[in-house]
Amino acid sequence: MKTTSSTSATLWVEVWGAALVCALTFPRSLAAETGADAWLRYSKLNPQAAEVYRRFPDKVVLLGDSLLLQTAEQELSRAVEQMSGRALQVERNSSAGKAIVLGTMKDLRALSSRLHPPHELSGDGYWLKSAKIHGAECLIIAGGTDRGALYGVFALLSKIARAESPAAVDLATMDEEQQPYAAVRWVNQWDNLDGRIERGYGGPSIFFADGKVRSDLTRASQYARLLASIGINGCTLNNVNAAPGILEDGFIEQVSRIADVFRPWGVEVSLSVDLSSPKVMGGLDTFDPLDSRVAEWWRKRAGAIYRRIPDFGGFVVKADSEGRLGPSTYGRTPADAANVIARALQPHHGVVFYRAFVYNHHLDWHDLKNDRAKAAYDNFHPLDGAFDDNVIIQIKNGPIDFQVREPVSPLLAGLRRTNEAIELQITQEYTGQQRHLCFLVPMWKEVLDFDMRVDAHAAPVKDLVEGRVFRRPTGGLVGVANVGMAANWMGSPLAMANLYGFGRLAWDPDLRGEKIIDEWTRLTFGSNPLVVKTITAIELRSWQVYESYTGPLGAGTLTNILGNHYDPGPESSEENGWGQWHRADHQGIGMDRTVETGTGYIGQYPPEVQKLYASLARCPDELLLFFHHVPYSYGLHSGKTVIQHVYDSHYDGADQARDFTAQWKALAGHIDDERYRDILARLEYQAGEAVVWRDAICNWAFRLSGIPDEKGRVGIDPAK
Ligand code: GCV
């Protein structure tokens, strides 16, 4: 740590001035660019921005010496130096002179009792405040916790890097208090111990290779920094389809090395566990959760982990799902299984995320009453109140499986006495696998804002998962991230907007999608107005464009579900036990999920939502085929028939995908060549794939319906 004493404000200006020259002659955005820095590039400031910040203090006063505060100071110093060329001096616990004062609220009160934010900071919140301390103008960065102080540093740096308006970062007026919306802001990685990542499109695991933890954890440490910068506080390292060996002593030892590189960033590590571990790796003859030997086994394993990793977060469990063993083997419930593990973790303050993704994938498709969408609610609603307080039920946003459009899972409103977290998928499994552009924040916003109308009162999903509606002690958001060794983390530079957006929404679900993508674009590509306008416009359209050529009207993503979850393959969903049916035949299309004539799924929602979806007159077009089976000639609210909508949306979508390429070309010379060419190639590829999708789905729909396209693009109109 640097401990030099003083540098004058003049030097600040001068060094900043030198940085300007540099910025004019060699802007970072035209330098070699791998995308590895993601949104933490800290490019040299442009002259206007530099002018705004030149009055900032040149000294940091650190109120404490915790690991996290040291990280916060180092991040601040490094970024300021990178952006301005100026080295900050660091002092400890001194309060003399103009300074950036960095610490917790507790430390700050000890320094000056009259300084307090408008609302008491709790947990990981922070306060950025310009104030006089002992007569000197200071900028305070205070956290409710050490981690909150780190978040405050990242927030300030983001403002500077985005070159926000002078008013927003004016030293004399700054006063911003932020509190995270949800306590749980976690990511899951689906990394296998052999280094492959299930549904990962950014290369092999940054944690594991050849059955071991990697010896070089540089990337893991960089990932923790990225996560911390957007307020993520937990990361599950391995696939929910977990290998039992992860709990062996030797492996725990290895995992502790990952925890060591995550700790300075305040990101807790956790592990996915296999429920059959007590038998498969522990040598018992059972894994029955009600057997006392099994309880003791989990207790001992938890103890072994916490001895090595005192800040370990907890376990994630996938059981009785897609071939995984679970409590049903012994006639036990998910509550029995979750609680036996929760009780082992409880003395150490760990939590269990028990996934609600429990369903039968051998459903009889002949039976029109069968419905996979009902599974989560059917399995978990009857157990409401039976889970211990350190259990969190992790619920996918929709009732099927991360399709391009689904209604929200009714289970989100179906647990009043149980903690819950919503699981969102950042990695684009069903949404183009990072080869198609699909910015998911607009979709997640719709999900989080959806009002479940519980007991006839407003109950948006964001409030349900955070625990506000039913006054639960904890809850939040979990995102399946699956970054990998690819230099740009996710395989595509533009896909990183989804990871950024997830973190920002977990921190504040009320942020507008436009604001999130504007922030991300400025941090990732700089603030050139043409660049910002073009990238934000493309990203904001991308989900709807992808939807329009892959899965319109709520029919699900019409992809090959038996293979790669990527190519068009609508027939693969039908006539098998997986239950992702569209029930498309020569008469009509869609799943009848009404209570009266269908599967009864709609009955799982609170009454007002039931009414919305049950009524053909009110059901929104974009979910029509999720809830109703209708003839192809059925008239939508838009005035089109279902079949004409399918044709039109596929042609529109493919056209818009082609337009993305044209829009992108306007950026030639305005961003670095590497990313310009990489993204252009991706968009050109996507435009071609959109045509493949368009033709495959339109021909399939024509073959089934026999109804030609009014515009003569699909099939042959016998009348002409
Ligand atoms: C990790 C889907 C995916 C699987 C995934 C599963 C889950 O079915 O295709 O790869 O398994 O969801 O979320 O458990």
Side-chain angles (χ1 to χ4, degrees), residues 166-493:
V169 283
D170 189 350
L171 183 57
T173 58
M174 181 152 345
D175 191 357
E176 179 175 332
E177 189 182 346
Q178 288 265 334
Q179 201 69 47
Y181 201 78
V184 171
R185 306 179 302 279
W186 281 36
V187 289
N188 285 178
Q189 288 279 139
W190 286 352
D191 297 24
N192 296 315
L193 306 191
D194 65 5
R196 286 176 301 164
I197 303 182
E198 182 153 350
R199 315 298 175 194
Y201 312 105
S205 170
I206 61 173
F207 302 124
F208 311 115
D210 304 324
K212 295 196 279 289
V213 168
R214 281 179 181 275
S215 51
D216 180 356
L217 290 174
T218 311
R219 291 281 286 182
S221 160
Q222 290 167 346
Y223 185 38
R225 173 171 169 251
L226 280 180
L227 294 177
S229 74
I230 46 172
I232 302 291
N233 57 359
C235 174
T236 308
L237 306 174
N238 63 312
N239 194 349
V240 287
N241 294 326
I246 194 103
L247 290 177
E248 280 165 8
D249 282 336
F251 214 90
I252 293 170
E253 189 62 34
Q254 295 182 45
V255 168
S256 74
R257 291 181 34 241
I258 303 178
D260 289 345
V261 302
F262 269 56
R263 191 166 297 116
W265 301 99
V267 183
E268 291 176 3
V269 302
S270 63
L271 293 173
S272 298
V273 292
D274 182 326
L275 205 75
S276 70
S277 302
K279 184 173 175 188
V280 179
M281 84 143 284
L284 299 183
D285 57 6
T286 180
F287 63 93
D288 180 352
L290 296 192
D291 188 305
S292 59
R293 291 167 302 152
V294 169
E296 180 61 9
W297 188 89
W298 283 110
R299 207 182 57 72
K300 285 201 169 129
R301 280 299 84 196
I305 292 178
Y306 280 93
R307 270 193 297 284
R308 288 301 298 125
I309 311 174
D311 53 351
F312 184 72
F315 292 139
V316 178
V317 180
K318 172 177 178 178
D320 284 324
S321 169
E322 300 187 331
R324 310 292 304 172
L325 290 171
S328 67
T329 308
Y330 302 97
R332 311 300 186 200
T333 69
D336 297 328
N339 290 345
V340 70
I341 302 179
R343 286 168 198 165
L345 294 171
Q346 194 273 337
H348 312 281
H349 311 292
V351 292
V352 177
F353 289 81
Y354 199 98
R355 296 178 85 228
F357 190 60
V358 173
Y359 71 101
N360 172 6
H361 67 278
H362 297 291
L363 276 182
D364 179 4
W365 58 271
H366 300 93
D367 185 343
L368 296 181
K369 294 287 175 194
N370 276 344
D371 189 356
R372 166 171 164 184
K374 289 166 70 180
Y377 190 95
D378 281 351
N379 284 310
F380 286 82
H381 173 70
L383 297 173
D384 188 21
F387 294 92
D388 283 9
D389 262 359
N390 62 330
V391 176
I392 298 171
I393 304 301
Q394 185 168 316
I395 306 168
K396 289 193 183 191
N397 61 275
I400 297 289
D401 191 5
F402 300 134
Q403 303 296 286
V404 69
R405 171 88 63 174
E406 290 184 52
V408 302
S409 168
L411 184 60
L412 291 161
L415 298 175
R416 291 172 181 245
R417 289 171 295 134
T418 306
N419 305 321
E420 62 184 52
I422 191 167
E423 182 179 312
L424 302 173
Q425 199 182 40
I426 300 164
T427 188
Q428 295 171 229
E429 176 182 356
Y430 283 99
T431 50
Q433 305 192 350
Q434 272 103 287
R435 287 184 263 173
H436 295 233
L437 182 62
C438 194
F439 178 53
L440 293 163
V441 163
M443 181 217 270
W444 297 334
K445 285 283 293 177
E446 283 192 17
V447 169
L448 294 168
D449 287 343
F450 184 80
D451 189 353
M452 287 284 211
R453 302 295 304 163
V454 170
D455 302 332
H457 289 101
V461 167
K462 61 192 167 197
D463 287 358
L464 285 162
V465 299
E466 195 273 342
R468 289 177 196 212
V469 175
F470 299 123
R471 300 188 190 290
R472 298 300 312 163
T474 191
L477 288 83
V478 176
V480 180
N482 290 357
V483 303
M485 288 296 281
N488 63 23
W489 299 97
M490 297 193 81
S492 155

Side-chain angles (χ1 to χ4, degrees), residues 525-537:
F525 289 94
S527 289
N528 174 326
L530 178 70
V531 172
V532 174
K533 188 167 161 250
T534 306
I535 296 180
T536 56

